[in-house]
Amino acid sequence: QVQFVESGGGSVQPGGSLRLSCAARGFAVLQYDIGWFRQAPGKEREGVSCISRSDGTAYYANSVKGRFTIGRDYAKNTMYLEMDSLKPEDTAVYYCARAPAPYSCSEHPFPRDFRSWGQGTPVTVSS
């Protein structure tokens, strides 16, 4: 199998925090640009954050800048997304995916350029 396995989602109150994990299966995370995406019911899947394999540059959607932090652990072959100051608008299913060449990270990653999607992990932010 070649995919991510996402975990760490759950329910949290506004202003709370969660740390999501994506364990890679069948490939090494150090070899790819990797992004976090999310999809809410009735909405298009959108890019949240992305990190470059070449220099570690991280990109964030305007809606999450200053609140989310992307990370990676090569030893564990796992990606992370630290989410702070969560808002109800952050409610969605969160996914990891990789960008095979010639695609790469940007502030506006397109889901169609990414591969190896997992099943996602749901995040619910409500009072």
Side-chain angles (χ1 to χ4, degrees), residues 4 22 28-37 47-61 69-74 78-81 96-100 103-109 114:
F4 278 110
C22 267
V29 299
L30 62 85
Q31 295 180 335
Y32 297 92
D33 287 15
I34 297 177
W36 282 94
F37 298 79
V48 175
S49 182
C50 201
I51 189 165
S52 172
R53 75 177 190 275
S54 61
D55 60 5
T57 299
Y59 302 88
Y60 298 94
T69 305
I70 191 170
R72 54 191 173 188
D73 187 328
Y74 295 139
T78 297
M79 303 298 300
Y80 298 97
L81 185 68
C96 284
R98 63 175 178 164
Y103 305 107
S104 61
C105 288
S106 71
E107 292 192 17
H108 304 284
F114 287 72

Side-chain angles (χ1 to χ4, degrees), residues 103-123:
Y103 305 107
S104 61
C105 288
S106 71
E107 292 192 17
H108 304 284
F110 291 99
R112 65 174 181 266
D113 297 333
F114 287 72
R115 304 289 185 270
S116 303
W117 301 91
Q119 80 287 348
T121 186
V123 171

Side-chain angles (χ1 to χ4, degrees), residues 2-98:
V2 179
Q3 65 174 27
F4 278 110
V5 179
E6 299 95 338
S7 63
S11 298
V12 65
Q13 293 184 334
S17 299
L18 285 172
R19 186 177 70 171
L20 307 184
S21 299
C22 267
R25 300 286 182 264
F27 64 94
V29 299
L30 62 85
Q31 295 180 335
Y32 297 92
D33 287 15
I34 297 177
W36 282 94
F37 298 79
R38 66 186 181 187
Q39 187 167 21
K43 297 185 66 177
E44 297 279 328
R45 188 168 298 185
E46 63 177 346
V48 175
S49 182
C50 201
I51 189 165
S52 172
R53 75 177 190 275
S54 61
D55 60 5
T57 299
Y59 302 88
Y60 298 94
N62 288 335
S63 59
V64 307
K65 285 181 179 177
R67 301 189 298 117
F68 290 12
T69 305
I70 191 170
R72 54 191 173 188
D73 187 328
Y74 295 139
K76 296 182 178 180
N77 204 32
T78 297
M79 303 298 300
Y80 298 97
L81 185 68
E82 179 69 34
M83 306 188 297
D84 298 317
S85 301
L86 284 162
K87 304 175 180 180
E89 306 94 275
D90 297 319
T91 297
V93 178
Y94 284 72
Y95 303 86
C96 284
R98 63 175 178 164

